[in-house]
Amino acid sequence: MKKTFLTLLTTVALLGTGEVKAANGVLQVKGTLKNFGDSALVFIHTPGEAGTRKDTVLLKDGKFSFSLKINKVSDVEFVSPDVVRGAKGKYLTFIAVPNETMELNGDANESFTITGSKFYKEFREIDLAVESAQKELDDFIRSLNTRMEKGESQEVLMKEYEEKSPILKAKVTNASIDFIKKHPGYEANVYTIAQLHDLEEMEAAVKLLAPAVREGRMKPYYEVRLNQLREKKESEERAAKMQAAGVEAPNFTLNDLNGQPLSLSSLRGKYVVLDFWGSWCGWCIKGFPKMKEYYAKYKGKFEILGIDCNDPLEKWKEAVKKHELPWLHVYNTKESKVLSEYAIQGFPTKIVIGPDGKIVKTVVGEDPAFYTLLDELFGK
C-alpha cells in the first residue's frame, strides 16, 4: 500500500521549531535521513493539473536541502532511485505548501521527525489527536501482512479485513472530525479531509472548517478530491443500474483471437461470464488459476468470454497464450463502447449472464463471491 504523509506521521513525533519565512511560491525542505542513500527523486503533482514534475536531490552523509517552486498546494513523493526501477527502496510522501518550511530528520529504516513552520506544526497536534486510533488500525493491517507472509489464506485474511477494518477506520475518522470541530481554523485539517473516502463525510467535514480555511489557499486541494468523489458516486450509481440483476446485457461484437467477429448474442441459451481483464492487471492474472479450475470443474455448463482491455493487440494474444486460457476471447478496441455500455469501474470485473441474456450478478475484483455463485448455479 502506498504510504501517505499522514500515515508517516502516525509513527513519529513532531517537534515545533521557530518560524522561518520561506520565499514566495516556494517550500523550503531540508533535513537528514540516515540509511536513505546518496540521492532521491522528487516527484511533484498538483491535484487537478496534468503531468508530474521531477527533480533530483543529492544527499551528503544523509543531509539534504532543496526548494520546491510551487504556486499551489501539491503532493510530493520523495523516493530512492531503486523504487523507480521496481526494486525495494525508500519511499515517503508529503504535502507541499507554498511559503512554508519543512525539516525532515531520522533513519529511513526506522522513524522520521518532521519539524517546520506553522502548517507543519499543526500536523503535530492532528497526529497526537488520532495517534491511538491510527495505531490500532496500523497494528491490525501489520498483523494481517505478517500472517499472509506465513502462508495464511489470502481469502480468509481479506474477509477478516473487510469485517474489522471499517470499525477501525471509523475510529480514525471520528478522531479526525472531533479535532476539526475543536480547531476549525487549522489549515492542516484540509489534508486530513482529503484522505476521507466517503463523499458525505468529506462534505460534512468541509463545512466544519472556518470560512478563511474553507475558501483559502487550501480550497483547490480539497476541491479536486471532493469532485472526484462526486464523479465516483455518479459512476457507481450508473454502474449499479446497468449491472443490476435482471438487466438485459447489451449485445456487442468484437474480434476473437483469429480476427473473426464474435457476438455475445451468439452465446444466447447458455450461462456466460464476461471477464473484463488486461495483461497489465495483477489481480486479473492472479485469478486465472482458479478460473481455469472452475472452468474445468463445470465444463459445458457455462462459457467464459474474456474481454481484453487497454492492451496492444499482440500483447493480448501473448498473454492468452502465456497463461493458457482455454475459454473464448475478444479484443476490445479503443473505438469500442463496451466498457461504457457495461459501466465498468475496475478490473477484473466479471458479469454473469443467464441463458435468457439477462445479468445474474456482477463481481468486481478477484472476489471469492464469484466462485460461490458458480457453485450455487452448477454444483447441485
Side-chain angles (χ1 to χ4, degrees), residues 132 295 343 372:
S132 177
Y295 190 65
T372 299

Side-chain angles (χ1 to χ4, degrees), residues 308-321:
D308 180 87
C309 305
N310 305 324
D311 265 327
L313 185 63
E314 290 306 315
K315 192 166 186 179
W316 161 56
K317 292 182 178 180
E318 291 172 4
V320 172
K321 182 178 180 180

Side-chain angles (χ1 to χ4, degrees), residues 85 87 105 173 184 187:
R85 293 191 289 267
N105 298 295
T173 298
E187 285 187 312

Side-chain angles (χ1 to χ4, degrees), residues 145-162:
N145 288 333
T146 299
R147 288 163 57 188
M148 185 167 65
E149 290 172 359
K150 292 181 178 180
E152 279 198 52
S153 167
Q154 183 174 319
E155 291 183 11
V156 171
L157 295 176
M158 181 59 70
K159 183 178 180 181
E160 184 175 343
Y161 174 80
E162 291 175 348

Side-chain angles (χ1 to χ4, degrees), residues 6-25:
L6 191 59
T7 301
L8 174 65
L9 293 180
T10 64
T11 62
V12 301
L14 294 180
L15 303 177
T17 61
E19 291 286 332
V20 179
K21 188 175 181 180
N24 187 41

